[in-house]
Amino acid sequence: METLTSLCASQTLVSHTARPMPISASGSSVSANGYAYSLNSRAFLPRKQRMSIIKASVAVEQQTEKPKVALVRIGTRGSPLALAQAHETREKLMAAHSELAEEGAIEIVIIKTTGDKILSQPLADIGGKGLFTKEIDEALINGDIDIAVHSMKDVPTYLPEQTILPCNMEREDVRDAFISLNASSLADLAAGSIIGTASLRRKSQILHRYPSLKVVENFRGNVQTRLRKLNEGVVHATLLALAGLRRLNMTENVTATLSIDDMLPAVAQGAIGIACRTNDDKMAEYLASLNHEETRLAVTCERAFLETLDGSCRTPIAGYASRDENGDCLFKGLVASPDGTRGVCIFHSIPFI
C-alpha cells in the first residue's frame, strides 16, 4: 500500500510538472503549484526537472539583487578632450583608493552644456565662459553627480554657492601649438593669410606681431572639429592649447610650439580643476589625494589677476605663474586691445607661500 501511494504521488507530481507552473524560490527551497521542494532533495523529480527548478531559483535570486551604486559619479562635458580629462581623473582615483578600483565604483556622467550646444556665435555674445560649467555645476548642487571635472581656463573666477574647488591636478604644458598645412611658423605665413581662433587673447598677440595676417574670431568647436576645418581649407593656420593635444595623443598635428614669450597663455591653461559640494567631506578627502599643490598655487595666482581685472571673454587677458630659479613665484600678465595695437605687460616676482 505504501508503495502504491508513493507511485500515485509520483504520478501526480509528474502530471503537475508537465504543464507550465508558477515557480517561486526562497533560500534553499522552491515552491511550485502549492508543493514545496528542497533543492537539496533528490526525491521523485527527474534530473531534468530538478535542474529547471534550480535554474529558476537562481534567476529569481539574481533579479532581486540590487544594482551596484557608484561610489563616485564624475560629471563632465562630452567632448573627446573633456572625456579624456574625466578618464584621467578616474584612473588617478582608482590608483589612490582601493575601494574605487572595483568595477562600477566610479561612473562618468556626460552633461551637455549651453556652450556645447551653441557653436554659431562667439562666446562673448552668448554669455561667456560660464556656459561650459553652468549645467555641470547645477548637477553637482542637485546631487546628480558627486564631483565635476573642468578645464580650469573655462571656470569663472566665482564659484556657485554650495560648491568648492579644492583640487588641481598636475598641470600639463601651458604653451600654445601652431598648426598649419603650408607654413612652419606664424612668421612664415604670407600676408593676408587667415588664422582661425576663438580666443581674443590669441588674436591680439598674433596681430601685435604680425599685423598683415587676418584672424577669424568665431573658429569654435572641439579639437577634432577645428583640425577638420583646417584640413578643408577654411583657414590657413590655427592655434590650439598643447595640453589638450597631449591629453588626446594628437601631438603629431603640431607644426611648432610657441614660446611663452611669443604667446602668453590663458589664465589656468593646461590645468584640470575638480569641484565637489561644500559639505561633502568624503569627496573632499578623495580629491585631496589628487591635488598638486604647486599647480593649485599657480592657478590661484593667475585667477586672482583675472578677477582683479574683472576680465571677460570680451577682453584679451593672459597670465602665467611659475617658479623662478629662487623658488619664488614669477608672474607674467598681459592686458591688450583686440586688434593688438595696445597692451600692458606685467612682470612680478613674489615668494611662493
Side-chain angles (χ1 to χ4, degrees):
M1 180 65 70
E2 291 179 1
T3 303
L4 180 61
T5 303
S6 298
L7 288 173
C8 289
S10 177
Q11 290 299 317
T12 302
L13 176 61
V14 171
S15 77
H16 276 294
T17 56
R19 298 191 302 271
M21 60 182 181
I23 297 175
S24 62
S26 175
S28 61
S29 65
V30 175
S31 297
N33 282 342
Y35 292 88
Y37 306 100
S38 169
L39 295 181
N40 299 320
S41 172
R42 298 176 181 269
F44 304 123
L45 283 176
R47 182 178 182 279
K48 185 175 181 181
Q49 292 171 347
R50 290 202 311 273
M51 293 304 297
S52 296
I53 292 176
I54 291 171
K55 288 179 180 179
S57 172
V58 172
V60 170
E61 289 179 357
Q62 288 177 340
Q63 289 173 6
T64 59
E65 289 180 3
K66 293 183 179 179
K68 186 172 182 177
V69 178
L71 298 177
V72 179
R73 295 164 298 167
I74 300 175
T76 177
R77 295 167 59 200
S79 71
L81 178 55
L83 288 172
Q85 294 177 165
H87 280 91
E88 180 181 343
T89 301
R90 182 178 67 178
E91 289 167 6
K92 290 187 175 181
L93 283 170
M94 291 171 65
H97 304 277
S98 58
E99 70 272 23
L100 299 183
E102 296 181 8
E103 184 177 355
I106 301 178
E107 177 186 0
I108 293 178
V109 181
I110 296 174
I111 300 169
K112 197 159 190 176
T113 66
T114 303
D116 296 315
K117 298 173 187 175
I118 305 174
L119 297 174
S120 58
Q121 299 172 256
L123 290 175
D125 293 345
I126 54 176
K129 289 185 178 179
L131 292 172
F132 289 116
T133 59
K134 181 174 178 289
E135 286 82 359
I136 300 175
D137 289 335
E138 289 173 349
L140 181 61
I141 293 168
N142 294 336
D144 298 324
I145 57 175
D146 300 303
I147 61 175
V149 177
H150 298 297
S151 292
M152 280 303 299
K153 69 177 184 177
D154 291 335
V155 178
T157 53
Y158 60 87
L159 295 177
E161 291 185 6
Q162 304 176 52
T163 70
I164 54 173
L165 206 158
C167 173
N168 288 126
M169 294 200 294
E170 187 171 3
R171 198 173 200 173
E172 252 290 0
D173 197 314
V174 303
R175 295 175 295 173
D176 280 326
F178 171 78
I179 304 174
S180 177
L181 301 180
N182 47 31
S184 60
S185 66
L186 283 167
D188 256 0
L189 288 168
S193 294
I194 300 171
I195 301 177
T197 180
S199 164
L200 288 180
R201 169 190 65 85
R202 290 177 177 136
K203 175 186 176 181
S204 177
Q205 293 184 77
I206 290 170
L207 293 179
H208 175 71
R209 289 177 177 270
Y210 307 100
S212 64
L213 300 178
K214 295 181 180 179
V215 178
V216 177
E217 286 183 32
N218 194 34
F219 195 71
R220 292 186 56 206
N222 61 38
V223 171
Q224 289 80 357
T225 299
R226 298 186 204 191
L227 291 177
R228 175 179 55 79
K229 290 179 180 179
L230 174 66
N231 288 326
E232 291 173 351
V234 176
V235 297
H236 298 106
T238 188
L239 269 62
L240 295 173
L242 183 58
L245 294 168
R246 287 170 64 96
R247 289 186 174 118
L248 290 168
N249 295 315
M250 296 178 66
T251 54
E252 71 276 5
N253 294 283
V254 176
T255 304
T257 301
L258 304 180
S259 71
I260 290 174
D261 291 333
D262 288 337
M263 182 63 62
L264 197 61
V267 164
Q269 183 159 306
I272 296 173
I274 312 176
C276 65
R277 287 180 292 277
T278 306
N279 60 354
D280 196 333
D281 294 338
K282 187 61 179 177
M283 292 303 124
E285 179 185 340
Y286 283 147
L287 296 185
S289 66
L290 271 56
N291 183 59
H292 186 256
E293 189 62 10
E294 185 167 327
T295 297
R296 190 191 68 80
L297 289 172
V299 167
T300 299
C301 175
E302 295 165 19
R303 283 167 57 82
F305 172 68
L306 185 63
E307 183 178 17
T308 300
L309 294 174
D310 194 22
S312 71
C313 289
R314 296 185 183 277
T315 309
I317 297 176
Y320 176 54
S322 61
R323 283 189 186 273
D324 63 16
E325 61 275 10
N326 298 318
D328 293 334
C329 174
L330 178 62
F331 178 77
K332 299 179 181 180
L334 171 69
V335 185
S337 61
D339 62 4
T341 58
R342 292 171 296 151
V344 177
C345 294
I346 300 167
F347 298 93
H348 194 48
S349 180
I350 55 175
F352 247 129
I353 300 176

